[in-house]
Amino acid sequence: MYFQLRKLILWSRNNAAPRVVEFQPGVVNVISGASKTGKSAVVPIIDYCLGSDKCSIPVGVIRENCSWFGIVIDTLEGQKLLARREPGDQQNTGDMFLLEAPTVDVPAIIDGKSTNVDVVKAMLNRLSGLTSLDFEPGPDVGFKSRPSFRDLMAFTFQPQNIVANPDVFFFKTDLTEHKEKLKTIFPYVLGAVTAEILQARFELDRLNRNLRRKESELRDLVNASSAWRLEAQSWVRQAIELGLLPSDQLISEDWNTILDLLRNITSGTEVMANPTLAGIDVALNRLELLRSEESVVALSLSEHRNRLNELRRLLESSEAYGGAIRMQRDRLGIADWLRKLTAENQQAELDPIASLESAGPERLETLCNALDALEVRLRSHPNFSDTLDKEVIRQRAATETVLERLSAIRQEASILEHSSQEAQEIRNKFDRTERFLGRLDQALQLYDKADQSSGVREEIATLRSQIATLQAIVSDSEIRRKLRNALDQVETIASRCVSKLDAEWPDAPVKLIVDELTVKVVRGNRDDYLWEIGSGANWLAYHMAMTLALQRFFLSEPHHPVPAILIYDQPSQVYFPKTAARPNEAATDVPWRDQDIVAVRKVFELLSEEVLLATGRLQIIVLDHADDDVWGNIPGVQLTEEWRGKALVPGEWTDTPQKQV
């Protein structure tokens, strides 16, 4: 990844002009200075501006007097200013300021954030060309998550506590989180695992899931088909029972014969099973109409019967009333009897009727006239018998008509009901036949799906072929082979670099142990881990040699994601004269020994060789006590700034004497 640091910027809290440290691309930039001038703050500032999760910029003068920290980097898209707010009492802040231009002009003041750290990290991931795929498919990948630009900082920074550390070789790998993640991405940065392989892993995972699903589907189909084959003869017997096959049909033991017979049933008997439905429906509809008419006629018959009953009771009442009238009229014949008795007794003085003569004949005649009038009234009572008889005859005739109609309806309904039972039986048989044919057709389709020529088997065969192809791509043995080849190249370069430094065994081969994130030195029959080797000069030599070897390997690959920049913080610390530890004496005040100068100069000469070999694509920054008396006149090595009498934070930003880290 083309990545060159052009400027490091500090913005003060009192709106003073920003402090800008400028770097040259493609060379070894040296910031030489005394202790506590801010050299060791350079790596944390750059790391913070590149989106670190935690602000490691030392507290004190720097953080108390700076409001924003920033860097300007050269990329293939032009220059980018990445500035991040000083977090105050927090561990970090996501507030960032991003400015992009072919050539960025550093603003005098940053008024506020323009973006956040997540956006900046996403931009850096894009610029580095890292894959967006995780190393392992699945929802919970942990340390197998996708590589990020932040992970690549392990190959860029060698701060003071790492550059000659026997126990920790790469930046931030003293933390388990970063250590495990770096182990994961190592095959990726060495080209043993590529984006194509990661894509193939995801595709392989998807295909395996599809294969398992298809195999399960095929097993279900085959099991269903096997069970159906066992029942095939019973299907033929049912077809005979339903009349779909002749009763004398022979049931073969041959599966293909049975299968052909069943296929013929489904293809040729559907029409035969359906012809009587129309006739059945007509008979049932007529029966329904007759039953409705029967109800109406039966109701009419009931009305006629009720009327006849009423007429009969009326005639009976009329006859009883007439008898009573006749009895009273007979009783009223006394008037004639009295007149006759009076006429007979007019000559006899002792007769009892004669005694009524004393009341006068007029009174008796009046009585007789009244009785005559009453008799006339009784005789005038109407006689209804003739009228009622006519109505009774009419009602009886109507009743007989209704009875005849009801009888005819019930006779026809009886005939139709008998036919309906036959029709219902036909319908039931038709339904059973339809259901049988439906089940048989479904069973045949299921058998066809499970047949060897079915699409499921073809899909499974295709999936297995695709899986075999992808397995060759993601083969662990192939990845190990590629990783070993890459490590051989890196180790060869590192071994050559070691021979040019002040190592105790300059000709001993070096091995990079990815699982331990350290190196081994091969001496004869024994391999020694770095932590088993004494001397800070040895530790520094192997750190320098391996980090340079990795960068040369990265630069040999086109469009490699690791930024082509290395920053070493005080690599010469291992050569400080031991007298520097004495009280009240700074390290820079102690004269260098000749052998120490030679050893440190070897370091700068090796750095120079690497930047020149990279032809401008590699930038190295060294923060060190050593001045140009040690590394002067080495091609490709330039003094960026000398912090003696000055420091990273300008003195005018604070009134107190500066003691920067």
Side-chain angles (χ1 to χ4, degrees):
M1 174 187 179
Y2 183 72
F3 185 101
Q4 304 275 306
L5 181 66
R6 301 305 300 271
K7 295 177 182 176
L8 185 145
I9 311 145
L10 278 63
W11 284 270
S12 73
R13 294 184 182 277
N14 54 13
N15 295 331
R19 169 78 163 96
V20 180
V21 180
E22 298 196 11
F23 299 90
Q24 295 299 316
V27 299
V28 179
N29 294 266
V30 181
I31 295 179
S32 175
S35 298
K36 301 180 181 178
T37 54
K39 295 190 300 299
S40 294
V42 172
V43 170
I45 290 174
I46 297 171
D47 186 41
Y48 187 59
C49 294
L50 291 176
S52 67
D53 294 333
K54 180 181 178 182
C55 178
S56 301
I57 302 172
V59 297
V61 174
I62 299 175
R63 291 180 60 171
E64 290 172 358
N65 291 279
C66 297
S67 58
W68 286 78
F69 304 98
I71 57 174
V72 175
I73 57 175
D74 268 345
T75 70
L76 293 177
E77 297 180 352
Q79 291 190 347
K80 299 181 185 297
L81 168 62
L82 308 177
R84 194 170 180 182
R85 189 193 300 275
E86 196 278 327
D89 295 333
Q90 306 175 71
Q91 288 189 342
N92 61 60
T93 175
D95 296 347
M96 294 198 70
F97 180 82
L98 174 63
L99 187 62
E100 299 175 279
T103 302
V104 169
D105 293 327
V106 177
I109 298 174
I110 296 180
D111 295 328
K113 70 173 184 179
S114 64
T115 185
N116 59 55
V117 68
D118 294 330
V119 174
V120 171
K121 286 197 285 189
M123 179 193 69
L124 293 171
N125 287 338
R126 177 179 55 80
L127 287 173
S128 61
L130 291 166
T131 178
S132 59
L133 295 175
D134 295 331
F135 286 92
E136 295 290 345
D140 187 14
V141 294
F143 300 129
K144 302 292 184 181
S145 61
R146 59 158 295 182
S148 70
F149 181 85
R150 291 296 315 161
D151 299 326
L152 306 181
M153 296 300 97
F155 305 103
T156 298
F157 299 132
Q158 286 282 298
Q160 185 178 7
N161 64 326
I162 298 293
V163 71
N165 192 321
D167 300 314
V168 181
F169 204 91
F170 295 99
F171 181 56
K172 288 190 175 179
T173 52
D174 50 339
L175 300 176
T176 302
E177 176 186 356
H178 297 289
K179 185 176 183 180
E180 296 301 321
K181 185 64 181 295
L182 187 58
K183 290 179 184 177
T184 301
I185 71 169
F186 234 113
Y188 178 78
V189 298
L190 291 178
V193 173
T194 62
E196 290 74 18
I197 290 178
L198 296 180
Q199 187 175 2
R201 284 178 177 172
F202 278 82
E203 182 66 10
L204 186 61
D205 178 71
R206 186 185 68 81
L207 292 178
N208 277 323
R209 283 188 277 111
N210 287 345
L211 178 61
R212 289 193 292 272
R213 182 169 55 82
K214 287 295 179 182
E215 288 177 339
S216 175
E217 181 181 342
L218 180 61
R219 281 195 299 272
D220 293 340
L221 291 173
V222 170
N223 292 336
S225 175
S226 299
W228 187 74
R229 290 183 65 160
L230 296 175
E231 300 172 355
Q233 290 188 348
S234 69
W235 286 90
V236 177
R237 292 190 182 91
Q238 290 181 55
I240 295 174
E241 181 182 349
L242 292 172
L244 300 174
L245 290 174
S247 59
D248 58 351
Q249 174 69 49
L250 296 177
I251 301 177
S252 174
E253 297 292 335
D254 180 65
W255 168 246
N256 291 327
T257 302
I258 294 175
L259 192 61
D260 292 340
L261 190 60
L262 294 176
R263 290 189 194 280
N264 291 333
I265 291 174
T266 58
S267 61
T269 57
E270 184 176 359
V271 176
M272 182 183 70
N274 200 17
T276 59
L277 276 181
I280 292 171
D281 290 340
V282 170
L284 293 178
N285 291 336
R286 177 58 183 167
L287 181 59
E288 185 176 355
L289 289 175
L290 288 175
R291 284 171 178 167
S292 299
E293 188 177 0
E294 180 186 14
S295 299
V296 174
V297 173
L299 180 60
S300 176
L301 178 62
S302 177
E303 290 176 354
H304 286 299
R305 282 177 176 172
N306 290 335
R307 288 174 185 174
L308 285 174
N309 287 333
E310 292 296 329
L311 287 172
R312 182 177 56 78
R313 284 196 295 270
L314 185 58
L315 284 173
E316 291 175 356
S317 299
S318 178
E319 289 176 357
Y321 182 70
I325 292 297
R326 282 191 300 272
M327 185 179 293
Q328 289 184 7
R329 192 176 63 187
D330 292 342
R331 288 174 180 171
L332 291 174
I334 192 169
D336 295 338
W337 175 73
L338 286 175
R339 284 192 183 96
K340 183 179 178 181
L341 186 60
T342 301
E344 290 177 353
N345 293 331
Q346 283 180 352
Q347 298 174 356
E349 295 179 355
L350 299 176
D351 191 79
I353 296 304
S355 61
L356 295 175
E357 287 293 330
S358 60
E362 293 82 4
R363 290 182 177 268
L364 184 60
E365 186 62 23
T366 302
L367 176 62
C368 291
N369 291 337
L371 292 172
D372 290 339
L374 182 59
E375 184 178 357
V376 169
R377 290 176 59 186
L378 291 174
R379 287 177 179 174
S380 62
H381 179 266
N383 188 357
F384 297 103
S385 299
D386 295 340
T387 304
L388 291 178
D389 288 342
K390 290 180 181 177
E391 181 61 21
V392 168
I393 292 172
R394 194 182 69 82
Q395 287 295 330
R396 283 180 175 173
T399 302
E400 288 176 355
T401 303
V402 172
L403 279 174
E404 290 176 357
R405 178 58 188 158
L406 183 60
S407 176
I409 291 172
R410 287 179 173 173
Q411 184 177 1
E412 186 180 358
S414 176
I415 295 171
L416 289 177
E417 282 178 351
H418 179 71
S419 301
S420 176
Q421 290 177 356
E422 294 180 353
Q424 190 64 42
E425 291 177 358
I426 294 173
R427 165 165 282 183
N428 291 338
K429 182 179 179 181
F430 169 76
D431 291 341
R432 286 189 291 117
T433 303
E434 283 293 300
R435 288 195 293 272
F436 171 78
L437 291 173
R439 293 198 305 272
L440 179 58
D441 185 62
Q442 185 177 11
L444 287 171
Q445 291 181 14
L446 187 64
Y447 173 78
D448 290 338
K449 287 183 179 178
D451 190 73
Q452 291 191 3
S453 60
S454 67
V456 178
R457 291 185 183 277
E458 292 180 359
E459 291 178 15
I460 289 176
T462 303
L463 287 172
R464 286 175 175 167
S465 175
Q466 294 173 343
I467 288 172
T469 302
L470 292 176
Q471 283 177 336
I473 297 176
V474 302
S475 168
D476 289 339
S477 60
E478 181 66 14
I479 292 174
R480 286 194 296 271
R481 185 188 66 79
K482 292 180 179 178
L483 180 60
R484 186 66 260 166
N485 289 341
L487 288 174
D488 287 343
Q489 296 180 51
V490 173
E491 290 166 356
T492 300
I493 299 171
S495 298
R496 293 173 181 170
C497 291
V498 168
S499 65
K500 300 175 182 178
L501 296 173
D502 185 32
E504 188 173 354
W505 304 283
D507 298 326
V510 180
K511 287 185 178 179
L512 176 59
I513 310 302
V514 175
D515 292 339
E516 301 293 339
L517 293 181
T518 187
V519 298
K520 270 186 174 181
V521 180
V522 181
R523 293 189 299 121
N525 296 327
R526 59 176 300 167
D527 298 343
D528 296 313
Y529 285 103
L530 185 64
W531 60 75
E532 296 175 313
I533 299 173
S535 174
N538 286 328
W539 302 333
L540 173 66
Y542 293 113
H543 273 266
M544 300 290 292
M546 188 54 68
T547 52
L548 288 170
L550 285 170
Q551 278 294 340
R552 191 193 295 183
F553 177 85
F554 298 152
L555 288 170
S556 67
E557 299 291 326
H559 310 295
H560 199 280
V562 175
I565 181 172
L566 278 169
I567 302 178
Y568 297 101
D569 185 10
Q570 303 184 50
S572 67
Q573 59 181 310
V574 299
Y575 296 105
F576 288 171
K578 297 185 184 306
T579 53
R582 291 181 301 193
N584 302 322
E585 188 173 26
T588 51
D589 297 331
V590 178
W592 288 78
R593 296 175 301 181
D594 291 341
Q595 61 269 33
D596 294 334
I597 294 175
V598 172
V600 174
R601 189 172 179 82
K602 287 181 177 179
V603 172
F604 282 95
E605 288 175 344
L606 180 60
L607 298 178
S608 170
E609 289 182 16
E610 292 302 320
V611 295
L612 294 176
L613 185 64
T615 60
R617 294 180 297 159
L618 175 63
Q619 183 187 39
I620 298 177
I621 297 173
V622 180
L623 311 163
D624 204 90
H625 289 279
D627 55 18
D628 56 358
D629 291 338
V630 177
W631 46 261
N633 299 321
I634 298 178
V637 180
Q638 297 184 8
L639 178 64
T640 299
E641 286 192 4
E642 183 164 0
W643 293 349
R644 290 181 174 83
K646 60 182 296 186
L648 176 62
V649 177
E652 57 269 24
W653 286 14
T654 173
D655 295 333
T656 59
Q658 296 186 40
K659 293 294 183 182
Q660 303 175 26
V661 178

